[in-house]
């Protein structure tokens, strides 16, 4: 990854976060909770940016339709997040596999 890629990535992230800041306050709070959850759980596909951008698009559509954020996602943010990534591989999965692999070789 070259310096231009890094600069372009930062520009895209700043533009993304400007869109988040344009959302109503309740949407911003929930978006940041979702973001925090994904950064902790670590779905492998998160780095391409499509997951968070898709959520932001979904939220912007909800705002335009006059819906509250909890009408869109329900009252359990973690359950909403888990449902989004249920078929995705996470860094936690990779870690668990590596731990199992190491303990399996130690037993043999």
């Amino acid at each position: 990854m070259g310096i231009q890629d890094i600069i372009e990535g930062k520009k895209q992230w700043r533009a993304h976060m400007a869109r988040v800041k344009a959302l109503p306050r309740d949407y911003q709070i929930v978006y940041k909770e979702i973001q925090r959850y994904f950064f902790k759980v670590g779905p492998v596909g998160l780095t391409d940016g499509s997951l968070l951008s898709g959520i932001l698009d979904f939220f912007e559509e909800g705002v335009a339709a006059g819906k509250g954020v909890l009408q869109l996602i329900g009252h359990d943010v973690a359950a909403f997040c888990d449902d989004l990534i249920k078929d995705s591989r996470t860094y936690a999965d990779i870690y668990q596999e590596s731990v199992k692999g190491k303990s399996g070789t130690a037993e043999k």
Side-chain angles (χ1 to χ4, degrees):
M1 179 185 302
I3 189 77
Q4 290 298 339
D5 295 331
I6 294 169
I7 292 169
E8 185 58 33
K10 283 188 173 192
K11 285 181 185 177
Q12 290 174 356
W13 183 251
R14 286 186 185 125
H16 177 86
M17 291 310 294
R19 288 175 57 200
V20 171
K21 289 179 183 176
L23 293 170
R25 184 80 177 127
D26 58 336
Y27 275 86
Q28 289 181 42
I29 291 167
V30 171
Y31 177 86
K32 288 179 182 177
E33 287 300 316
I34 290 170
Q35 183 183 41
R36 184 177 302 124
Y37 185 86
F38 285 150
F39 285 167
K40 183 177 180 180
V41 172
V44 176
L46 187 65
T47 56
D48 73 4
S50 63
L51 180 61
L52 292 175
S53 292
I55 292 169
L56 186 52
D57 293 340
F58 178 60
F59 278 11
E60 289 171 337
E61 291 169 10
V63 170
K67 294 184 178 181
V69 68
L70 296 181
Q71 287 178 285
L72 295 177
I73 70 161
H75 291 280
D76 189 342
V77 175
F80 174 78
C81 293
D82 286 341
D83 193 45
L84 285 177
I85 62 169
K86 67 183 174 206
D87 297 325
S88 301
R89 194 157 186 228
T90 66
Y91 289 108
D93 294 334
I94 294 169
Y95 176 74
Q96 288 297 324
E97 291 166 8
S98 74
V99 169
K100 287 179 185 176
K102 289 177 184 175
S103 66
T105 57
E107 294 174 8
K108 291 181 181 181

